[in-house]
Amino acid sequence: MDIQDLSQRIAAGERRALARGITLVESGRADHRAQATQVLAALPRDRQALRIGLSGTPGVGKSTFIEAFGMTLVQAGLCVAVLAVDPSSARSGGSILGDKTRMDRLSREAGAFIRPSPSQTHLGGVARRTREAVALCEGAGFDVVLIETVGVGQSETVVAQMSDLFVLLLAPAGGDELQGVKRGIMEMADMILINKADGDLKPAAMRTCADYAGALRLLRKRPQDPDGYPKAMMVSALAEEGLDTAWADMQALVSWRREAGFFDATRAAQARYWFEEDVRSALLSKLDDATAKRAMEQLGSRVAEGALAPSAAAAQMLDVLDGNFGPARVDPVPDSP
């Protein structure tokens, strides 16, 4: 594979090259990981897209909202990339990857790119390499990147560590107002959108919006929020109502954070977070080493027989890994001039 050619084609905005690049970064092969690192390093560094993470429970209408919202952005002259994460089967390991078929209008737009990816075994609502896929979309020149999570529960907040705005979609009459003050995904959201605010559900949507607006006022004020944020508002993806207002509020929040210095500071903190996560992932991958597997099997058998306590076996396993790693080497930092 010609890494330089692939990087140049991605930077030129070629969709096929971008799709191939995302496949490369999602691969677990060691040679592919090395090539993916080279591709990411060769992309332009001066391009910056607005990253919007979207989460919500299954059935809330995430795909319908993303298509309607994406069409609004495309009609405004923006290029939009959608990274949709599908849950993987715990039995077979496969995923349907059907999000693109739900967004048939948006998928036909020249200014839109949709890429479904399996979550595999990664927790947190996103795939392990979604962050790198976002970087590829930024390098390809997209203005907005929408990151759709698998949409499971209150602890799926990893998407907030790779997005500039975290939007939570809720359905009308989905619970009592106590849900709004629960910690977890609720306190991570920058905006709460009550979807399906149309037809017979509109009165219920109004009550739900009022409940969550009141609950948000009870949460501790965050330094990165101006007055009035986070906020709850009603939208209808089906009737395409409230989307322009939601986009205007998102832009206002981002502009305020840029001027106040929170935007760049948040991205810097996110970069450090993913550095630490990559280190943890690399350490866990050491368990696939032949020596480590053999030690795990032997110690696991002794634990199963009752000859060794799990905590004692874990301590011995760590000693084995320490022996494999050897002493850590850190390059000295040069003195400042």
Side-chain angles (χ1 to χ4, degrees), residues 8-317:
Q8 291 175 353
R9 288 166 54 201
I10 292 175
E14 289 189 24
R15 307 302 173 86
R16 183 173 295 182
L18 176 58
R20 189 176 184 184
I22 295 177
T23 300
L24 188 65
V25 301
E26 290 179 343
S27 175
R29 283 177 41 175
D31 56 335
H32 287 175
R33 293 300 310 145
Q35 291 174 338
T37 301
Q38 295 175 29
V39 170
L40 290 168
L43 292 177
R45 298 295 184 90
D46 57 344
R47 298 178 180 178
Q48 196 175 71
L50 177 60
R51 309 169 184 171
I52 303 177
L54 295 119
S55 188
T57 55
V60 75
K62 291 190 298 296
S63 297
T64 306
F65 172 82
I66 288 176
E67 180 176 48
F69 186 62
M71 290 295 295
T72 300
L73 300 180
V74 169
Q75 290 166 5
L78 299 174
C79 292
V80 181
V82 178
L83 301 177
V85 182
D86 249 17
S88 297
S89 171
R91 292 185 176 182
S92 65
S95 297
I96 296 178
L97 302 179
D99 292 275
K100 193 170 184 177
T101 61
R102 293 173 172 174
M103 309 175 192
D104 57 329
R105 284 192 304 150
L106 187 60
S107 63
R108 292 195 295 266
E109 289 290 334
F113 173 82
I114 304 174
R115 171 67 181 228
S117 299
S119 64
Q120 298 177 328
T121 59
H122 192 67
L123 301 177
V126 293
R128 180 180 177 184
R129 299 298 174 185
T130 301
R131 175 185 56 87
E132 295 176 351
V134 171
L136 288 175
C137 292
E138 281 191 323
F142 284 92
D143 302 303
V144 181
V145 179
L146 302 176
I147 311 163
E148 180 192 4
T149 71
V150 298
V152 275
Q154 295 182 354
S155 62
E156 309 307 314
T157 58
V158 175
V159 68
Q161 295 292 345
M162 63 178 68
S163 56
D164 304 313
L165 289 176
F166 182 29
V167 178
L168 179 62
L169 289 176
L170 297 176
D176 55 33
E177 61 184 357
L178 181 61
Q179 298 291 335
V181 294
K182 287 186 176 180
R183 298 305 186 256
I185 199 170
M186 197 66 59
E187 63 182 349
M188 303 294 292
D190 296 308
M191 293 183 65
I192 296 177
L193 303 182
I194 313 301
N195 195 21
K196 303 184 180 181
D198 50 59
D200 296 338
L201 288 175
K202 192 163 187 177
M206 294 176 65
R207 291 192 298 269
T208 303
C209 185
D211 287 342
Y212 280 97
L216 288 175
R217 288 193 290 268
L218 298 177
L219 294 178
R220 181 178 299 174
K221 181 74 174 177
R222 303 183 305 183
Q224 71 268 31
D225 293 330
D227 292 337
Y229 288 88
K231 62 169 57 179
M233 59 188 302
M234 298 188 303
V235 297
S236 172
L238 187 63
E240 298 187 359
E241 296 177 350
L243 301 178
D244 290 329
T245 304
W247 173 235
D249 288 345
M250 292 179 195
Q251 289 179 297
L253 177 57
V254 171
S255 297
W256 185 89
R257 286 180 174 174
R258 286 185 187 275
E259 294 174 0
F262 289 109
F263 189 91
D264 292 334
T266 299
R267 285 211 169 184
Q270 289 175 350
R272 174 151 191 162
Y273 170 87
W274 287 109
F275 153 70
E276 294 174 355
E277 283 298 305
D278 282 349
V279 171
R280 292 187 183 96
S281 298
L283 291 176
L284 286 175
S285 68
K286 297 295 184 179
L287 293 175
D288 294 331
D289 179 76
T291 302
K293 283 185 175 180
R294 185 163 55 250
M296 285 281 286
E297 179 62 30
Q298 294 173 354
L299 291 170
S301 298
R302 296 186 62 191
V303 170
E305 296 168 356
L308 192 62
S311 57
Q316 292 186 26
M317 186 64 209

